């Protein structure tokens, strides 16, 4: 989980340079129409998703994972989890089978932790932008975006998506 922490630190520095986090008014302002995320709603959705996930009792599953941490785009991987622990991580692209350093993946609980950390971090940020979607049945996170909405550009600190999720016996 070092990568998300590094991204949060770097984004904090960017916000401070842009006039956020104790930096006083700066040259940038929030983009027109930018609204702070509903943190109470995000926390309630996270709690509901975790409850669904626990009720599903899935310990063996696999999913495809794509992480984008601007300006990097990591290769898509397939994550296999057995007994609640990562068993294998394989590149989806057969032409690029090697995985780069810094790519962190884990069981669904690790994704929930990353979302929790982002909610805590983003709560204190000016122009925060945080969006998460969850599977309606099993509760696992499907998409995640954490960034800022400074004018004139939106800036993504971290983004990922989970696709092709399948439970295994």
């Amino acid at each position: 989980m070092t990568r998300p922490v590094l991204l949060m630190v770097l984004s904090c520095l960017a916000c401070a340079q842009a006039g956020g986090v104790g930096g006083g008014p700066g040259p940038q302002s929030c983009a027109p129409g930018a609204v702070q995320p509903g943190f109470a709603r995000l926390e309630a959705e996270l709690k509901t998703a975790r409850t669904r996930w626990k009720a599903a009792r899935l310990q063996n599953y696999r999913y495809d994972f794509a992480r984008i941490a601007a300006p990097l785009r990591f290769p898509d991987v397939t994550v296999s989890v057995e007994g609640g622990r990562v068993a294998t991580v394989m590149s989806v692209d057969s032409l690029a089978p090697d995985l780069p350093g810094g790519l962190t993946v884990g069981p669904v609980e690790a994704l929930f932790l990353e979302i929790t950390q982002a909610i805590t971090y983003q709560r204190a940020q000016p122009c925060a932008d945080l969006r998460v979607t969850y599977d309606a049945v099993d509760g696992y996170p499907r998409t995640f975006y954490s960034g800022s909405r400074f004018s004139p550009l939106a800036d993504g600190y971290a983004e990922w998506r989970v696709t092709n999720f399948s439970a295994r016996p």
Side-chain angles (χ1 to χ4, degrees):
M1 299 307 305
T2 8
R3 182 107 183 116
V5 172
L6 176 61
L7 291 171
M8 288 190 290
V9 169
L10 292 174
S11 61
C12 183
L13 292 173
C15 286
Q17 291 173 347
V21 190
Q28 291 182 313
S29 61
C30 293
V35 177
Q36 283 288 91
F39 290 104
R41 176 188 48 79
L42 287 166
E43 288 174 337
E45 289 172 351
L46 175 60
K47 183 177 179 180
T48 299
R50 277 187 154 149
T51 299
R52 282 188 187 128
W53 178 250
K54 286 179 183 176
R57 297 178 165 279
L58 297 174
Q59 293 293 307
N60 301 313
Y61 52 91
R62 66 185 293 168
Y63 63 90
D64 290 343
F65 184 79
R67 179 182 291 279
I68 301 165
L72 302 174
R73 169 80 165 80
F74 291 99
D76 294 358
V77 295
T78 298
V79 180
S80 295
V81 175
E82 294 175 8
R85 296 182 181 194
V86 172
T88 61
V89 178
M90 298 183 337
S91 176
V92 171
D93 183 358
S94 61
L95 298 177
D98 296 331
L99 300 177
L103 175 65
T104 55
V105 294
V108 166
E109 290 80 7
L111 302 177
F112 283 136
L113 178 60
E114 187 172 342
I115 294 165
T116 301
Q117 291 170 338
I119 290 171
T120 301
Y121 170 76
Q122 286 286 32
R123 187 180 301 278
Q125 302 308 309
C127 309
D129 189 3
L130 183 59
R131 291 170 264 150
V132 186
T133 63
Y134 302 95
D135 181 74
V137 176
D138 294 325
Y140 64 86
R142 295 181 65 111
T143 62
F144 169 84
Y145 174 84
S146 178
S148 69
R149 297 196 63 204
F150 282 111
S151 182
L153 301 172
D155 182 20
Y157 307 134
E159 180 175 359
W160 47 256
R161 73 180 176 280
V162 170
T163 57
N164 299 322
F165 186 93
S166 63
R168 300 180 336 195

